[in-house]
Amino acid sequence: MLRRALATLALLICPLPALADTAVERTAPVRLCVDPDWPPYEWLDETGHHRGIAADLVRLIAKRAGLNLQIVRTSTWDESVSLARTGQCDALSFLNQTPERDTWLRFTQPYFFDRNVIITRAEHAPITDLGALPKGTTVALPTATSIMERIGHDFPQLRILPVGSETEAFGMVEAREADLTLRALTVAAYTIKNEGWFNLKIAGELPDYGNRMRIGVVAAKPELVRALDTAIATLASEEVDEIVNRHVAIEMPTRTDYALIAKVVAGFAVLLLAYLWIRHLGRLNRRLADLGARLREDIAAREQAERALKDSEQHYRSVVEMAQEGILVVQDGHVTYANPAFSELLGYDNDELARMDAFESLILSEDLPRARTNHQRRLAGEEAEQRYPLRLVHKSGRILWAETSGVCINWNGRPATLNIVNDITARKAAEDSIRHLAHHDPLTGLPNRVLLQDRLERALASAQRNGASLAMLFIDLDGFKPVNDRYGHDTGDALLQAVAKRLNGTLRHSDTAARIGGDEFVVLLPVLADAGDAGLIAGKLRTAIASPFEIDGHRITISASIGLALYPRNGDTAAELMRTADGAMYAEKRQHTA
């Protein structure tokens, strides 16, 4: 601490020369990809110039290494990483070393270290140990970050509130929706200053948590790593501090090591005290001079932030209110909010929904366990199903199919789930219709050849297991073609539909009547108490078909030829039974013709 303070005093007295904006030219420039939007570390301005802490440090390193940097303009960090992977960039400017990145990058020595600090409201007491905080202390942390995983593992007594961004985490602490958040010191100071969150402060730091930022060089250029490491070794901590303070002023309370100060030579102690006193006086003078302007700026910034917040809330409320999907918030088993689309979907107004149990009243009983399980998993922070179907009950009692998904949110200071509901009733009906058409004859509605084959295979397997009998009847209509020729195909189709109806009316519930094409039908009798029963049923079918039909004002009379096959007498496979029944049918038809 003493050495850094003396060096800083020396900088105040004899400031370093300004760094050059360009690196020493070389025959082949080094193509550098950067994060175009990560202030205060680095960003690309409107002209494509590389700005920020990392930008100044990398230019200084390149100058000392004698390298000519060429900034490759990108729109996102992901695009920069992609260009480096495909060899369109030679290096990435500012990133942590990880095992995955080691597979395709070579890393320099770290040239910037940033501590992670604890952010609270201004009135919160200093924090020296996260482990000493009470159980249930809330910590707002951006999702998919390494610090979120480490905090959850190292301090299980803390309750983590996942958020989408660092700005959202700071906002929750400002609004007292979270007790604290943890972020990199530089980013924390920069964000607090630029967002105008003057009620926040840095309450402590995590000594074992930190970011060691390096330059990542593509694996094909090991000589570039050596040149950069040589230059990095020349960086003094005072130079790094000066660059950081150029972009963001960082103040954090620290504890003075009086034992160490007592051992320092008296002359250096006097020099340090003089420096601190001069710095304190300068700070007081600047504060007095800027107080009036700062107060006005703070008031204007706060008013602007309040207006922006109000406009933002109104914007998102409009989006939710106008959404075509149903949106509802469920808390303690009740609907605490529903947008107009959800109310219209189920036919209830908001007052009616507020008095209901969100599960018992709105969800079909068979689907309740699945809905409750997913709701509880989300509240517990566990993995839950997304976009799964549920059956909902309309106010009229009608059943609707809905596809639902949800996330856990903080609603008025307590956990709840936000659920998106899409009406898929029409889609389910279409799917059911497609499945029905795949297994049924579109004209008569009887099972088709595919479904008949499936039921026959199942019946054979059951008969083989139980030592039972079954029968197949192959039916062909006699005199059907003259009906088509005389009255037309519409009348012929109506006749086929009437025959199908009579077949079903004559058979048992366990039997299957199928149309396999034209005027051909097959009947499966899977349960026979006696082999003679099959002949009796065939006789009933002949009688039913021979009875006159009234079709479109015409009295039509036809007959049927029926072939019979028995299992196991006439075969033990589906193909053998079909051939036997078909042959028997044609033999009977020849007799009718003769």
Side-chain angles (χ1 to χ4, degrees), residues 434-453:
I434 291 171
R435 281 193 295 270
H436 185 271
L437 289 175
H439 296 91
H440 292 80
D441 173 45
L443 176 63
T444 64
L446 294 178
N448 60 13
R449 188 184 295 271
V450 174
L451 184 54
L452 172 66
Q453 183 70 22

Side-chain angles (χ1 to χ4, degrees), residues 345 398-402 422-430 432:
L345 176 64
R398 179 166 50 95
I399 303 301
L400 303 174
W401 276 99
N422 287 288
D423 184 4
I424 59 170
T425 304
R427 190 182 83 189
K428 291 290 289 186
D432 292 342

Side-chain angles (χ1 to χ4, degrees), residues 1-2 4-10 12-13 241 245 248-254 271-287:
M1 180 188 299
L2 178 60
R4 177 169 293 187
L6 293 174
T8 306
L9 181 59
L12 291 173
I13 301 171
D241 290 344
N245 289 325
V248 55
I250 302 173
E251 296 180 5
M252 178 174 172
T254 59
L271 184 58
L272 174 60
L273 292 174
Y275 157 71
L276 293 174
W277 180 247
I278 292 171
R279 182 179 178 184
H280 178 67
L281 289 178
R283 186 183 302 158
L284 288 178
N285 290 333
R286 287 193 299 272
R287 286 181 178 176

Side-chain angles (χ1 to χ4, degrees), residues 124 246 324 369 434 476 549:
H124 200 288
R246 184 187 307 163
Q324 295 182 352
I434 291 171
D476 186 83
F549 293 89

Side-chain angles (χ1 to χ4, degrees), residues 453-466 468-470 524-527 567:
Q453 183 70 22
D454 178 71
R455 291 184 180 179
L456 177 56
E457 295 288 353
R458 292 173 183 267
L460 281 171
S462 175
Q464 290 167 358
R465 285 194 306 270
N466 301 320
S469 299
L470 63 81
L524 170 63
L525 306 175
V527 180
Y567 167 85

Side-chain angles (χ1 to χ4, degrees), residues 94-140:
F94 196 68
L95 70 171
N96 275 304
Q97 184 176 6
T98 67
E100 189 279 330
R101 290 170 177 169
D102 280 334
T103 62
W104 61 283
L105 289 174
R106 295 175 181 267
F107 285 91
T108 67
Q109 293 298 314
Y111 67 92
F112 182 79
F113 175 77
D114 204 359
R115 296 169 292 175
N116 277 301
V117 294
I118 304 167
I119 308 300
T120 67
R121 283 187 59 86
E123 65 268 18
H124 200 288
I127 299 174
T128 58
D129 180 11
L130 285 180
L133 292 176
K135 182 178 181 180
T137 298
T138 53
V139 186

